[in-house]
Amino acid sequence: MKNIAYNLKRTAGYLLGFVLFYEPFMMFNKIAGTFITDTSFSSIHVPCARIPLANIVTGEWLAASPISLLFCLLLAVTSLWFGPLFCGKLCPAGGFSEFLGNLLPDKYKIDWAKLVPILPLRYGFFVGFLFSVWLGFGVPCTYCNYYSLEIFVNLFITGHLLNNLASLIATFFLANLFFSLFTKGGRGYCLFLCPVGTYNSLFHIMGRYLPGAFAMQINKVSCVGCTKCTQKCPMGAIKMQDNKAQINRKLCIICGKCTHSCPKQAICYQSNLQQEDKYHGHND
């Protein structure tokens, strides 16, 4: 019953994210549009952080949608105070890839942490994404797993394929097969290629210096080193050190799977103002 309740709660969060940000619903856009004058172009590009992030870096932020800029601001503020909740609780693209990753036994999956340096690749791609416009690569929609998932969802719901670009179709299968089905944890795209996830993580890292900010904490007294949390973490954000779990804030998405899997209830999500000497968890 505990597992069912937990899975239902996570599924409800991703469904909420779908209703808020995906066509044909786009409720975030409709709500924000009542307060902000914006284009009537109804698309995933309106509440999109990828394009305005690049626009801000290149000095073209005035060309970005005001709703998109608001979305970027909300992501920054929530990640600073509460961590990457969007990634771990609301993002349908990440949730879908994680679900696919659970369909195969781990023996058939790639554990990227054992093969490549994840953090340099992750943040290196983020920097490359931000400056790609200067290099003439244009709008990065063709390799966006968020957009590629949306076009297939719309095909299922409405029978209309929003875009049939071969690059988007390739992105869909890359993100949801190679980087999900055959990746340990199912979030290979989130690890390496999602600029929004890295953007959220950067603010979560800064949040460690902010009084009252929330993060996952591990009770080092209660932790028995069973490694169940490391096995369940979809981002590979938990490692063992001296037989105690350590959470890497640079990768953690606050999904709560570690808390749910811990048999000793040694992991909790709490403010750093509540942190006691017995709590630790961040290998930053």
Side-chain angles (χ1 to χ4, degrees), residues 42-272:
S42 179
S43 166
I44 192 66
H45 298 93
V46 179
C48 169
R50 290 168 170 83
I51 298 173
L53 282 179
N55 287 341
I56 291 170
V57 169
T58 58
E60 300 175 349
W61 62 274
L62 289 176
S65 157
I67 292 181
S68 296
L69 294 174
L70 172 64
F71 185 53
C72 285
L73 177 62
L74 288 176
L75 285 177
V77 173
T78 55
S79 296
L80 188 65
W81 283 95
F82 304 107
L85 293 177
F86 175 79
C87 300
K89 306 290 187 184
L90 289 175
C91 179
F96 181 64
S97 64
E98 185 182 323
F99 166 76
L100 291 178
N102 292 327
L103 298 181
L104 282 181
D106 281 351
K107 64 181 180 179
Y108 299 116
K109 301 176 187 176
I110 301 171
D111 186 352
W112 290 107
K114 296 180 179 180
L115 299 176
V116 296
I118 292 178
L119 289 175
L121 289 173
R122 186 182 199 209
Y123 289 91
F125 179 83
F126 180 66
V127 172
F129 161 79
L130 291 179
F131 293 97
S132 64
V133 177
W134 285 347
L135 300 177
F137 290 109
V139 177
C141 305
T142 53
Y143 60 81
C144 173
N145 69 325
Y146 207 82
Y147 188 36
S148 66
L149 179 62
E150 188 199 35
I151 66 173
F152 280 91
V153 168
N154 269 270
L155 177 63
F156 178 77
I157 294 178
T158 67
H160 299 290
L161 191 64
L162 298 180
N163 195 321
N164 61 355
L165 287 176
S167 55
L168 270 172
I169 296 175
T171 296
F172 178 82
F173 286 102
L174 174 69
N176 296 296
L177 287 179
F178 182 69
F179 273 135
S180 58
L181 193 62
F182 294 105
T183 292
K184 185 177 180 180
R187 285 188 178 249
Y189 189 95
C190 304
L191 276 175
F192 297 112
L193 301 177
C194 181
V196 177
T198 309
Y199 171 79
N200 291 340
S201 293
L202 286 172
F203 281 96
H204 186 39
I205 294 169
M206 291 187 283
R208 66 180 298 198
Y209 304 106
L210 188 68
F214 283 74
M216 304 303 299
Q217 301 287 345
I218 297 175
N219 185 323
K220 60 185 178 182
V221 176
S222 300
C223 178
V224 295
C226 68
T227 74
K228 288 187 177 180
C229 57
T230 64
Q231 297 171 30
K232 292 295 184 180
C233 179
M235 293 291 288
I238 307 177
K239 303 298 180 183
M240 302 304 295
Q241 182 175 337
D242 299 326
N243 204 36
K244 300 291 181 181
Q246 296 278 346
I247 299 176
N248 190 334
R249 192 190 288 253
K250 299 181 182 72
L251 294 174
C252 177
I253 58 173
I254 318 292
C255 65
K257 294 192 76 171
C258 55
T259 300
H260 179 72
S261 64
C262 181
K264 298 297 182 179
Q265 298 181 327
I267 308 175
C268 68
Y269 174 67
Q270 66 179 14
S271 163
N272 55 24

